[in-house]
Amino acid sequence: PFLVMQPFNLVTGNTFAFTEEPSERAVKADGYCSRVLRAQSNRKEGNNEFRLRVEGDPESYHPGSTYRVTVTASSPSYFRGFTLIALKEGTEGDKDEDYAGNFQIIDEEETQFMTNCPPAVTESTPRRRTSIQVFWTAPPSGSSCVILKASIVQKRIIYFQDEGSLTKRMCEKDRPLLDCCACGTAKYRVTFYGNWSEKIHPKDYPRRANHWSAIIGASHSKNYVLWEYGGFASEGVKQVAELGSPVKMEEEIRQKGDEVLTVIKMKAQWPAWQPLNVRAAPSAEFSVDRTRHLMSFLTMLGPSPDWNVGLSAEDLCTKECGWAQKVVQDLIPWDAGTDGGVTYESPNKPTVTQDKIRPLTSLDHPQSPFYDPEGGAITPVARVVVERIARKGEQCNIVPDNVDDIVADIAQEEKEEDDTPETCIYSNWSPWSACSSATCETGKRMRQRMLKAQLDLSVPCPHTQDFEPCMGPGCSDEDASTCMMSEWITWSPCSVSCGLGTRSRERYVKQFPEDGSVCTLPTEETENCVVNEECFPSSCLVTEWGEWDVCSATCGLGMKRRERMVKMPPADGSICGAEVLEVEKCMMPECHTIPCLLTPWSDWSDCSVTCGKGLRTRQRMLKSPVELGECTEELEQVEKCMLPECPIDCVMSEWTEWSECNKSCGKGHTIRTRIVTLEPQFGGDPCPETIQRKKCKLRKCNQGQEQREKRRSKQGRAEIASEHPGCKMRPWSNWTECTKLCGGGIQERLMTVKQRFKTAQLSSCKDRKEIRACNVHPC
């Protein structure tokens, strides 16, 4: 038998049960997958012990991208079988076109396509299990939202749900509008905030060489694609992804001619992360118009095989025919498909057949720095903020824009590019000095920065001081027809306590034009305001927000807060749900830790040793007055130095004891040896002798003994017992192995008593041992 279901409506919210029927009845009837989807309402209680999860927990899908889908049971629960389907939202599953995307089997022993409903996936064999996984490829563009659903077999009960932990709704990621209806042009600033750090992404974090490559991108039309998920990387994208070089990418962009409005470029960041009070986030400005309203960029995560982050065809034209005011996106890394490495510092492994661009996931490889065995979302490594800063020309947005940033002209992007080589690492610029002129005569002011590192000595690093013209306090370098205005005074209270009202603010003329002309700048402005949106009895009335408190930081990133009070609680006695406290981040001027002038570094001192490893130092002096602030730059540097190695003399062991005489009578010799324990190095004293000999003289041999001694000397080991009166001796043993392979060793052999006669003298009948030197060559 096999498990089938009664037909059911997937959007009713009911739960359903399978029934068992013989396999001979498993044929299609009354509609596509009708047997699988035959409904019998059975179980309606919750099922939080089971969960359907899409890898990375995305809220939207990229058309054509592949995702890992898992169904899990939390301990001690389990399930015997399951059914997994993917339907277009709002369909009932009784037609072929109701099903969205395609499943792919990962483990055929665990999962298979359902026989009588091919789009559905089920278990291969019923048994206890706590998890299954399959791949699901998202449908093509235009498929709108998709509902992934799982049913669970537990004690013969299976149920589907339209919401809950076994249902996942995903919609297609917003695609750029094919045609833009906005008017005029708009100018934007894009700011890149790197968040890739050892604290947030600790696994295998590359401490020494972490960086973001130079950012490259463009504002462009729909006819040009820099990069996109499911596409293939161009040569320019490949060079950014693998080498961090934007040169080829910029060349490709500029070749597109009128399809591109602005080339976007930002400098590389070494290291990848620093607090905002140490280094400002890189930014660039660009423009868009009706035909070139998309923005794309990319930057390499370095070091890495071919990993990047960026935006692809971000549409800044709204459906209301206006220009988006602000776009904020958290970024996760993506794989360019040109290198198969799985770790930050994997060796080069070019893909044999180029793969498609795809987002990295937490289940790509166990060695991946982003690996999570549970398939959770990757923590973003960066954030990009795109803010509108100006508009030009007649606007035609349907919904009124609440930001008045229309200007007479949008200046062309800065043509003068920063020519600082990427191999020169500087501190931030110090604050501007006071103007050299205290009057309205033109003077100069100065700022400086310090060269922290020169990564390539062959590439010179440019100036560390910057000057600009200035005038004394209260002076204006504008033309004589300009009038100077004060800052705006705080807004007045809203004219009503609930609903839509108005408020106003004022400013005044500080200085009238010198040429006597009339100052035409407005001194008052009015805007709509809403203090309490609802004026119902169940609504509570609150005051307007108070002024923001002073930022908690004097420089860099801090926090500020403001409060308001409840004027009147709800008339019906309910609880007031209005917020009375608001906290937000605040950015003060960049923190500078270098308000000081320093002399150049002195020459390095001599090395602290005459040979081998030592240290050397260099210093510089503080030139600026102490009252300008504490200087935190180092005034002394120490580095290691290496001179030719110190000579090492030969070292010998102690002498051994003198050996026994090599003769039993007459003249012989005895030896002692020693070995080399450390060879001389780097010109040290050579090794002395390793063997010493000296003569030894015993009692004079008689004629027979003398002949025997000569015969023993010739035969080596032929000495026999007859030369020892009263004894019968065994022959000499073989020489033992040398105690050293080189540097002088010792060998020995033995002759032992085999039989002692009664007439034998004790002194002449005993075991004997001989020693000789061996392997005396140096090691």
Side-chain angles (χ1 to χ4, degrees), residues 88-164:
K88 294 179 182 177
E89 189 174 38
T91 62
E92 298 184 3
D94 55 357
K95 299 186 296 295
D96 191 359
E97 56 268 24
D98 289 353
Y99 291 83
N102 298 289
F103 288 108
Q104 291 104 47
I105 302 300
I106 295 177
D107 186 349
E108 293 183 352
E109 294 184 0
E110 287 287 329
T111 57
Q112 66 178 358
F113 290 108
M114 185 169 281
T115 306
N116 58 335
C117 185
V121 177
T122 188
E123 75 282 355
S124 296
T125 53
R127 65 172 183 80
R128 287 195 177 197
R129 48 172 59 82
T130 58
S131 68
I132 63 94
Q133 56 181 344
V134 295
F135 286 129
W136 176 71
T137 300
S141 178
S143 300
S144 190
C145 296
V146 174
I147 307 293
L148 287 161
K149 292 188 174 189
S151 64
I152 295 296
V153 180
Q154 188 191 41
K155 299 178 181 178
R156 296 179 179 267
I157 298 176
I158 300 184
Y159 45 95
F160 277 98
Q161 289 187 334
D162 285 328
E163 58 183 29

Side-chain angles (χ1 to χ4, degrees), residues 2 35 39 63 91 102 128 143 181 195 237 247 282 296 298 332 390 419 485-486 642 698 747 759 764:
F2 70 100
R35 286 187 177 274
T91 62
N102 298 289
R128 287 195 177 197
S143 300
C181 57
N195 197 32
V237 172
V247 177
S296 303
L298 69 157
I332 63 169
D419 59 353
M485 306 296 294
S486 71
M642 173 67 77
L698 303 177
Q747 289 177 295
T759 59
S764 63

Side-chain angles (χ1 to χ4, degrees), residues 188-200:
Y188 288 86
R189 178 183 294 112
V190 54
T191 306
F192 182 85
Y193 298 95
N195 197 32
W196 177 47
S197 65
E198 186 173 15
K199 180 179 179 180
I200 299 175

Side-chain angles (χ1 to χ4, degrees), residues 252-422:
E252 290 179 1
I253 292 172
R254 295 191 184 279
Q255 287 175 351
K256 293 300 176 180
D258 291 340
E259 301 294 341
V260 170
L261 182 58
T262 308
V263 178
I264 299 170
K265 298 167 67 175
M266 288 177 258
K267 291 184 64 62
Q269 298 179 76
W270 294 76
W273 183 87
Q274 285 188 11
L276 289 177
N277 62 348
V278 175
R279 181 187 63 199
S283 64
E285 295 179 1
F286 66 94
S287 297
V288 291
D289 60 18
R290 176 175 285 192
T291 58
R292 293 161 294 190
H293 52 97
L294 308 178
M295 178 273 212
S296 303
F297 79 90
L298 69 157
T299 175
M300 179 193 74
L301 189 80
S304 70
D306 58 345
W307 300 343
N308 311 264
V309 299
L311 291 180
S312 174
E314 187 68 32
D315 198 346
L316 299 173
C317 181
T318 68
K319 297 177 181 179
E320 294 79 23
C321 301
W323 297 109
Q325 291 183 21
K326 188 173 184 179
V327 175
V328 179
Q329 289 271 15
D330 288 325
L331 306 177
I332 63 169
W334 48 269
D335 189 310
T338 60
D339 191 290
V342 296
T343 66
Y344 289 127
E345 300 182 88
S346 292
N348 286 337
K349 187 181 179 182
T351 51
V352 178
T353 302
Q354 185 171 339
D355 294 329
K356 293 181 179 179
I357 295 174
R358 64 171 185 85
L360 293 182
T361 74
S362 58
L363 290 173
D364 282 338
H365 194 282
Q367 293 181 2
S368 167
F370 305 108
Y371 181 71
D372 176 6
E374 295 188 2
I378 292 178
T379 303
V381 296
R383 170 174 288 185
V384 62
V385 177
V386 182
E387 295 180 280
R388 195 183 74 204
I389 56 177
R391 290 176 294 164
K392 178 193 173 186
E394 181 181 356
Q395 303 295 309
C396 54
N397 39 303
I398 300 170
V399 178
D401 203 307
N402 59 8
V403 177
D404 185 10
D405 55 1
I406 299 177
V407 297
D409 189 23
I410 291 181
Q412 291 294 317
E413 278 66 44
E414 191 65 50
K415 296 297 183 184
E416 181 181 351
E417 296 177 358
D418 187 354
D419 59 353
T420 304
E422 293 183 9

